[in-house]
Amino acid sequence: MRVVILTPNKRLLDLSGVTELYLPIENGVIGVLPGHAPMVSAVGTGVVIYTLNDSSGFFKVAGGVAEITGGSVNLLVDVGEEASQIDFDRAQKSLERAQGRLSDKASENIDVKRAEAARLRALARLEAAELYRGKNSQDKKSV
């Protein structure tokens, strides 16, 4: 099937021949195989995982809309980032900042929803980066 990931600023992915796809939706994760029933869903914050030619790819996404047909998946996301481009240390610091804001919420006037959204985005970035790192270490071991 064809998978396209678009942000308002650029096309992140446009691949044909994808054999499976997992994407975050508002209430969990959905798996999509070729021939999937048509549907439209809100995209949550998390990691998109796809398989093409027995190799996996990973993207961090947050917000947007997924359109699924039998032969294609179009993800129109607010924010997206390829896992190979994620700075792991920066994502870890973002998570620490968000967790710090949440733990200090009694002493400060902070926007709890915004801090929680930042925490979820940082967790998704870290998860995508770890999946990418793990895939690359597996590839190096098999060479």
Side-chain angles (χ1 to χ4, degrees):
M1 74 187 145
R2 182 176 180 202
V3 176
V4 178
I5 302 176
L6 299 168
T7 69
N9 299 322
K10 69 180 182 176
R11 181 182 304 261
L12 297 176
L13 182 72
D14 189 343
L15 289 176
S16 293
V18 173
T19 55
E20 66 182 322
L21 175 81
Y22 297 92
L23 65 118
I25 59 173
E26 287 296 313
N27 297 323
V29 175
I30 185 171
V32 180
L33 299 172
H36 192 285
M39 68 178 281
V40 174
S41 177
V43 174
T45 299
V47 180
V48 171
I49 303 171
Y50 68 87
T51 302
L52 175 70
N53 299 328
D54 295 325
S55 182
S56 296
F58 312 97
F59 281 83
K60 175 262 178 185
V61 295
V65 177
E67 174 194 37
I68 301 168
T69 65
S72 67
V73 177
N74 295 305
L75 301 175
L76 309 172
V77 298
D78 298 333
V79 180
E81 193 173 9
E82 187 174 2
S84 65
Q85 303 299 310
I86 294 172
D87 180 331
F88 191 86
D89 293 333
R90 185 171 157 231
Q92 185 66 44
K93 288 176 185 172
S94 294
L95 176 62
E96 291 166 4
R97 276 193 310 274
Q99 289 173 329
R101 280 189 222 111
L102 287 168
S103 66
D104 292 340
K105 65 184 172 189
S107 63
E108 294 182 29
N109 290 330
I110 68 154
D111 184 339
V112 175
K113 284 185 179 181
R114 186 174 173 200
E116 181 61 23
R119 186 184 75 79
L120 292 174
R121 286 191 306 271
L123 284 170
R125 291 181 82 222
L126 288 168
E127 181 183 359
E130 287 172 351
L131 287 167
Y132 177 75
R133 283 179 166 183
K135 174 190 167 241
N136 281 346
S137 68
Q138 289 295 332
D139 290 347
K140 290 175 184 169
K141 288 178 186 175
S142 63
V143 172

